[in-house]
Amino acid sequence: MTTTAPASPYASKGTRHRRPPRSVAPHLVSAVIYAGAAAVLALWWSDTSAVVGTAGRLTNAGRITGLLAGYTCAVLVVLMARAPLLDHSIGTDRLARLHAAGGRWTVSLVLAHTLLVIWGYSLSAHTDVVSQTSALVLHYPDLLKGTAGFLLLLLTSAVSARAARRRMSYETWHYLHFATYLAIFLAFGHQLSDGADFVGNRPAQLAWYALYLGAAALVVWYRFAVPVRRGLRHRLTVTAVHTEAPGVVSVYLTGERLDELGAEPGQFFRWRFLTRGLWWTANPYSLSAPAHPRHLRITVKADGAHSAALARLAPGTRVWAEGPYGGLTARRRTAHQVLLLAGGVGITPLRTLFETLPGPVTLVYRARRIEDLALRAELDAIAAHRRATVHYVVDGHVPLTAPALSHLVPGLAAHDVYLCGPPGMTEAAIRALRNAGVPRRRIHHESFTF
């Protein structure tokens, strides 16, 4: 089923869209990462006079992979430190994908470093691999701790594999992932104690300390100190919980000086509800209404133990909000016309954009059943107020294909598209939009999958 509110070329009289400047942050971040890797390779080059024989080539290959592994460990920590500059300019989901890809590279480098060094040393000492491994672990300084860090890193990579993640809750995966910090800490001493490029090289040691202490400072500040400070300052509490659709509830919150949070339409927070069974984890949920200096609202679908428990929150429950995060905001807009394409509870960030984005905006909201259309009364009121177009697509009556979307949204190729929904729907929508001629740079979406 599809319904449409009256259409108009403008949201309000006198509204004029201005194209925002394109962010250079993603390119700058990439340049800095590659420059750091080049500096690491330069460190090895400056400390290597000659590479002779098979043992020498293997050992030096192990040195290079070890240096790069140590460097990428620090980069991974920085990427997920939740620094606003990175998060708002690149996007939380893109940072998560970079972190995941970097994690695979890091584990590969660590494995290569371990095998190459053991093999090279065993050839130099004319001994077998098992004996050489035992000698290294038991007799080299800090290598026992380094081995423990290596095993922990393998454990966290195993639980991060897609097959393993599907079998555990977000909360379990999240806390097991904290073992990465311990693994990096244990390996750090080994790098400085046993690394040929650091022993006796004070400038290299100081640079390594600066890199790791800087990464640690970002994590401590943005992931721990800032949430605690904001929790004490803003004093957020739950005021009410309302049912919006089967299995979907809105949580209403009040607090002090909430305008200082700087939340933009389309962004989300990580919410920690200080009540039994929920206080120990912070889960991401989008704002489902524009932020107010005294009030916030999130709308959540029961899709796990944590989200299901929110329906039972009691008024007065204290809340800590970590954020705002995400780049699915008006700053990504580049075109005059905008399509908001939502699936299921993915309507939550798009509902705020539907109310606040200037200029011509079309909303397409897909759901399995009519009763699953959350916030429908609000969407109808917004559409009527700004004379915008809204289509409700129920039970897949309009397929996610290029012809169907082009028929539903005339001139689709000239639109910016903001997209939020389940992973399968998102992937199908991106394919359809690309086939309809929408440039990839105009398709804006964020994923909350871990």
Side-chain angles (χ1 to χ4, degrees):
M1 178 189 72
T2 304
T3 63
T4 308
S8 176
Y10 297 100
S12 60
K13 294 182 179 180
T15 299
R16 185 176 180 180
H17 167 64
R18 293 182 180 180
R19 179 176 296 186
R22 294 182 69 84
S23 174
V24 299
H27 304 291
L28 182 60
V29 168
S30 297
V32 170
I33 291 174
Y34 284 119
V40 167
L41 293 175
L43 173 63
W44 167 81
W45 181 267
S46 65
D47 197 49
T48 303
S49 56
V51 178
V52 180
T54 302
R57 286 190 287 271
L58 290 171
T59 302
N60 276 277
R63 285 173 56 193
I64 292 172
T65 52
L67 284 169
L68 289 174
Y71 171 70
T72 56
C73 280
V75 170
L76 291 180
V77 172
V78 171
L79 288 177
M80 296 308 288
R82 299 175 185 169
L85 175 62
L86 293 178
D87 189 274
H88 296 171
S89 59
I90 298 176
T92 305
D93 64 331
R94 294 180 185 178
L95 284 174
R97 289 195 295 271
L98 285 173
H99 176 80
R104 291 188 289 271
W105 275 104
T106 300
V107 172
S108 299
L109 287 168
V110 169
L111 283 169
H113 164 70
T114 303
L115 297 174
L116 288 167
V117 166
I118 292 174
W119 192 4
Y121 275 38
S122 66
L123 289 179
S124 296
H126 304 288
T127 186
D128 62 274
V129 170
V130 175
S131 299
Q132 188 61 48
T133 301
S134 176
L136 288 171
V137 171
L138 298 177
H139 301 295
Y140 275 62
D142 290 322
L143 199 50
L144 193 58
K145 290 191 294 185
T147 302
F150 167 69
L151 295 175
L152 274 175
L153 194 62
L154 292 183
L155 172 64
T156 55
S157 66
V159 300
S160 296
R162 185 167 299 180
R165 284 181 293 173
R166 290 171 178 167
R167 291 173 170 80
M168 66 181 72
S169 67
Y170 170 83
E171 294 79 14
T172 301
W173 171 86
H174 179 73
Y175 281 98
L176 285 175
H177 214 63
F178 271 119
T180 305
Y181 293 127
L182 179 58
I184 293 173
F185 172 77
L186 290 172
F188 179 74
H190 152 65
Q191 294 174 65
L192 295 182
S193 298
D194 302 312
D197 302 285
F198 295 107
V199 175
N201 189 340
R202 193 62 177 169
Q205 293 175 5
L206 291 175
W208 218 243
Y209 270 112
L211 175 66
Y212 273 75
L213 289 176
L218 288 174
V219 169
V220 170
W221 180 251
Y222 287 114
R223 299 194 69 162
F224 297 97
V226 169
V228 171
R229 185 188 67 171
R230 287 183 171 175
L232 297 174
R233 179 170 177 77
H234 299 296
R235 304 184 65 81
L236 272 169
T237 58
V238 174
T239 57
V241 178
H242 292 168
T243 299
E244 304 287 359
V248 179
V249 299
S250 284
V251 180
Y252 292 78
L253 308 107
T254 189
E256 301 174 2
R257 298 179 290 271
L258 300 182
D259 53 320
E260 295 178 4
L261 294 172
E264 299 179 46
Q267 291 188 311
F268 68 94
F269 288 80
R270 286 182 170 87
W271 305 88
R272 188 180 301 274
F273 297 91
L274 304 184
T275 187
R276 184 177 180 180
L278 296 177
W279 65 267
W280 61 284
T281 186
N283 281 26
Y285 302 116
S286 295
L287 294 176
S288 60
H292 182 274
R294 289 283 299 170
H295 307 285
L296 298 175
R297 187 186 73 180
I298 58 175
T299 301
V300 181
K301 179 180 180 180
D303 193 25
H306 186 279
S307 54
L310 300 192
R312 301 187 295 274
L313 284 173
T317 301
R318 290 289 304 273
V319 185
W320 285 3
E322 182 184 343
Y325 297 118
L328 195 70
T329 66
R331 287 182 289 176
R332 286 194 181 180
R333 181 176 179 178
T334 61
H336 183 56
Q337 297 175 295
V338 174
L339 166 63
L340 305 176
L341 181 53
V345 79
I347 189 62
T348 52
L350 301 191
R351 179 254 180 260
T352 61
L353 292 169
F354 189 43
E355 179 177 346
T356 58
L357 278 176
V361 178
T362 300
L363 171 66
V364 176
Y365 183 10
R366 303 175 63 88
R368 292 182 179 179
R369 303 172 300 173
I370 295 176
E371 54 266 34
D372 292 330
L373 294 167
L375 308 174
R376 182 175 179 179
E378 294 181 19
L379 297 173
D380 288 338
I382 294 169
H385 175 72
R386 64 180 298 166
R387 302 190 67 191
T389 302
V390 55
H391 300 284
Y392 298 113
V393 181
V394 179
D395 196 25
H397 285 173
V398 178
L400 269 176
T401 61
L405 287 177
S406 297
H407 176 75
L408 204 61
V409 185
L412 177 59
H415 284 63
D416 260 316
V417 181
Y418 287 78
L419 172 63
C420 191
M425 174 261 183
T426 300
E427 294 170 5
I430 291 174
R431 286 195 300 269
L433 292 167
R434 296 289 291 120
N435 291 335
V438 181
R440 187 174 296 276
R441 68 180 182 277
R442 289 187 178 174
I443 302 174
H444 317 297
H445 69 97
E446 284 189 331
S447 169
F448 292 95
T449 56
F450 67 94

